[in-house]
Amino acid sequence: MAMIPSFFNNRSRDIIFDPFFSFDPFKDFPFPSSSLIPRENSAFVNTRIDWKETPEAHVFKADLPGLKKEEVKVEIEDDRVLQISGERNVEKEDKSDTWHRVERSSGKFLRRFKLPENAKIDQVKAGLENGVLTVTVPKEEVKKPDVKKAIEISG
């Protein structure tokens, strides 16, 4: 008789086409899956931030749906480090509620970025609109050296 992997036992075979069935083929492997990440850490893990450089500024964008500006901190540390942090609180549970799935993250998040020398750290601006945090760090103009006097080359 052929060996059938544990994830194809009779129960999972009966509901394999159920669209609400959460199938994890890696549950028996020795490495952590996303379902094993503690809920309080999942916001930290999932906070994605884009950093682009334009001719005028460094622009950081973070998706923070559902957060208010009071729940987010943007700071510049002494060593030119931009720090974006905050906390999404867990929704209050009512004992009569039955949860079928919890996918939205909650908990604290923290991201840090070392800013380059041309960043004007005293002119940083931040705004939160439609769940997107935008942090703009203006850049200093790079001055091109002026040619004062041409030197004749002998020889």
Side-chain angles (χ1 to χ4, degrees):
M1 180 172 212
M3 291 292 296
I4 298 174
S6 65
F7 55 82
F8 283 119
N9 62 26
N10 287 339
R11 173 151 163 55
S12 63
R13 192 177 318 133
D14 292 341
I15 61 171
I16 194 111
F17 296 109
D18 181 349
F20 300 107
F21 174 67
S22 179
F23 176 69
D24 184 2
F26 303 107
K27 71 178 174 70
D28 294 328
F29 286 88
F31 53 83
S33 70
S34 61
S35 62
L36 297 178
I37 296 172
R39 230 181 131 199
E40 63 272 11
N41 293 336
S42 58
F44 174 79
V45 172
N46 292 326
T47 304
R48 305 277 189 233
I49 299 180
D50 297 336
W51 176 3
K52 73 175 177 179
E53 183 175 354
T54 68
E56 299 81 28
H58 295 275
V59 181
F60 298 82
K61 290 193 178 233
D63 290 336
L64 302 173
L67 287 183
K68 300 176 188 127
K69 68 180 185 175
E70 296 82 17
E71 298 170 316
V72 179
K73 278 175 112 180
V74 177
E75 302 168 301
I76 301 286
E77 296 179 352
D78 290 337
D79 51 351
R80 306 183 74 81
V81 174
L82 170 67
Q83 180 171 296
I84 301 171
S85 62
E87 183 171 6
R88 179 176 291 125
N89 294 318
V90 178
E91 192 171 314
K92 291 186 175 111
E93 293 186 27
D94 187 341
K95 297 296 179 194
S96 64
D97 292 344
T98 301
W99 290 84
H100 294 281
R101 190 175 212 76
V102 177
E103 292 184 342
R104 295 183 307 144
S105 57
S106 62
K108 295 180 181 182
F109 65 90
L110 171 73
R111 296 295 307 272
R112 301 176 82 211
F113 302 91
K114 178 77 171 169
L115 295 172
E117 292 296 320
N118 67 347
K120 293 183 179 180
I121 59 173
D122 57 333
Q123 297 179 16
V124 176
K125 296 194 183 323
L128 184 63
E129 187 173 333
N130 296 327
V132 178
L133 174 70
T134 302
V135 179
T136 305
V137 183
K139 294 175 10 181
E140 292 183 22
E141 285 185 39
V142 177
K143 295 185 179 183
K144 296 179 181 174
D146 293 331
V147 177
K148 301 282 184 189
K149 178 181 172 188
I151 307 297
E152 188 176 324
I153 301 173
S154 63

